[in-house]
């Protein structure tokens, strides 16, 4: 990757580094053999905006809806209405995202959970339940 900044340069002008990341463009920093990319929250949110969720659901004989999230099938819920189902799924998704992030290394290094990482970051960047509900389609 081009335009690598050294960690020493970043330390010497940390405020300027942050300003550049937030107001201009992502920055790449190298420390010894480690390389990190610094992104603003808004840029990361835009980048991850392609990670949407598809819900699959059925209506039971009693009229209740039961469903899951296609991208993370372990998340299941039910509700009296489709809106209630979406809210329940979003609530479970937020809880899963918090658990995933709290033990990120374990989840990310698990072969059946690695593909969830970008979805999890997308969920964690949202401000409220309604924003997560709006990510659920289907």
């Amino acid at each position: 990757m081009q335009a690598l900044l050294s960690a020493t340069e970043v330390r010497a002008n940390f405020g300027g580094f942050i300003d550049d990341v937030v107001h201009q463009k992502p920055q790449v920093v190298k420390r010894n053999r480690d390389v990190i990319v610094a992104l603003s929250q808004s840029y990361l949110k835009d980048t991850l905006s392609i990670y949407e969720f598809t819900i699959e659901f059925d209506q039971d004989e009693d009229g209740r809806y039961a469903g899951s999230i296609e991208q993370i099938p372990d998340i299941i819920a039910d509700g009296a209405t489709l809106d209630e189902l979406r809210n329940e799924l979003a609530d479970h998704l937020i809880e899963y995202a918090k658990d995933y992030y709290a033990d990120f290394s374990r989840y990310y290094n698990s072969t059946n959970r690695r593909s969830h990482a970008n979805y999890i970051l997308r969920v964690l960047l949202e401000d409220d339940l309604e924003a997560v509900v709006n990510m659920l389609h289907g």
Side-chain angles (χ1 to χ4, degrees):
M1 179 147 217
Q2 295 180 5
L4 291 174
L5 300 171
S6 73
T8 303
E9 290 175 277
V10 172
R11 274 193 306 272
N13 186 21
F14 192 67
F17 170 76
I18 297 296
D19 288 342
D20 287 348
V21 169
V22 171
H23 301 292
Q24 291 186 19
K25 63 183 177 185
Q27 298 289 325
V28 183
V29 180
K30 182 173 182 170
R31 185 192 72 166
N32 301 323
R33 288 178 286 187
D34 300 326
V35 177
I36 65 164
V37 178
L39 310 167
S40 71
Q41 182 177 359
S42 64
Y43 180 85
L44 182 58
K45 195 171 183 178
D46 287 345
T47 301
L48 296 175
S49 66
I50 62 170
Y51 291 91
E52 298 278 326
F53 296 95
T54 304
I55 62 170
E56 300 171 331
F57 62 90
D58 291 312
Q59 191 171 17
D60 297 336
E61 293 172 6
D62 64 354
R64 291 187 63 80
Y65 291 87
S68 63
I69 296 175
E70 181 181 316
Q71 293 77 7
I72 307 174
D74 295 348
I75 298 178
I76 58 173
D78 74 323
T81 66
L82 197 49
D83 285 340
E84 188 177 311
L85 172 63
R86 287 181 193 278
N87 282 323
E88 287 295 315
L89 287 169
D91 190 50
H92 293 319
L93 183 55
I94 290 168
E95 289 306 311
Y96 175 63
K98 290 176 183 177
D99 291 344
Y100 192 110
Y101 192 74
D103 201 359
F104 192 87
S105 181
R106 180 176 68 110
Y107 281 97
Y108 185 74
N109 291 307
S110 175
T111 54
N112 64 334
R113 303 275 179 191
R114 180 180 290 257
S115 64
H116 300 173
N118 288 336
Y119 291 100
I120 295 310
L121 291 175
R122 172 79 197 283
V123 169
L124 293 172
L125 288 169
E126 297 302 336
D127 295 326
D128 57 28
L129 179 67
E130 189 62 32
V132 177
V133 168
N134 290 331
M135 294 168 43
L136 303 175
H137 305 286

